Amino acid sequence: MNRRSILWSAVSALGAAFGASRAQAATEAGTGSKLKVVYHLSDAEKVNFVLGNIQNHIDGVGGPEHVTVALVIHGPALKAFHRAQANPDVSKRLSDFSKDGVELAACGNTMKAQNVTLTDLLPGFVSAENGGVVRIAELQSQGYLYLRP
């Protein structure tokens, strides 16, 4: 057997073993644990897109009982969630998300910069007092998968 054949066989065996372990891990994760994801939103022009992604995610896994979702908002995107100027569709989606248990976190630093409080935002928000990016890092350290559409 030449060196290429030996090398190719070794690489193939490692790839097969890795694939099998990944498949087993995915199966085990799907049987007992709930997937946890954090969506990161800072771009004002992506508000509807991200909210649609979250709804598709919830629907795609069979409902909110199969996934834990957090949405962390900071920067210009937070203005879309000001109670006084929010789009009715955005308001309805957030209300539905709150009922589904989605955590809605507003960056404390952005709130200060925009001179708003939780009462100025749509219902359901909590304040990420130490900042949106800090909240995202906290959630990731708790096993949340990071998504930034």
Side-chain angles (χ1 to χ4, degrees):
M1 199 180 249
N2 66 29
R3 286 184 184 170
R4 280 190 190 167
S5 295
I6 293 170
L7 180 60
W8 182 250
S9 294
V11 170
S12 296
L14 285 172
F18 178 72
S21 69
R22 296 272 301 175
Q24 182 180 358
T27 301
E28 289 169 359
T31 58
S33 62
K34 201 172 171 183
L35 184 65
K36 300 184 295 187
V37 295
V38 55
Y39 281 83
H40 180 182
L41 175 60
S42 62
D43 301 322
E45 64 276 0
K46 290 188 176 182
V47 168
N48 287 317
F49 179 71
V50 171
L51 297 180
N53 275 202
I54 292 171
Q55 187 61 59
N56 291 341
H57 197 142
I58 292 169
D59 294 344
V61 298
E65 62 276 6
H66 299 288
V67 65
T68 300
V69 178
L71 171 62
V72 179
I73 303 166
H74 68 100
L78 189 61
K79 288 189 179 187
F81 301 95
H82 290 198
R83 190 185 302 255
Q85 62 194 48
N87 175 309
D89 182 52
V90 169
S91 298
K92 180 177 179 345
R93 283 181 165 191
L94 280 196
S95 174
D96 293 344
F97 289 161
S98 287
K99 291 174 191 167
D100 288 343
V102 174
E103 176 187 316
L104 305 170
C107 173
N109 297 325
T110 301
M111 289 172 60
K112 288 175 192 166
Q114 293 179 5
N115 198 29
V116 297
T117 64
L118 287 176
T119 58
D120 297 318
L121 298 175
L122 293 170
F125 274 95
V126 296
S127 176
E129 290 295 326
N130 296 322
V133 294
V134 171
R135 182 65 184 142
I136 290 168
E138 290 169 350
L139 290 168
Q140 285 181 295
S141 74
Q142 296 169 23
Y144 280 70
L145 299 173
Y146 174 79
L147 297 172
R148 185 169 185 171

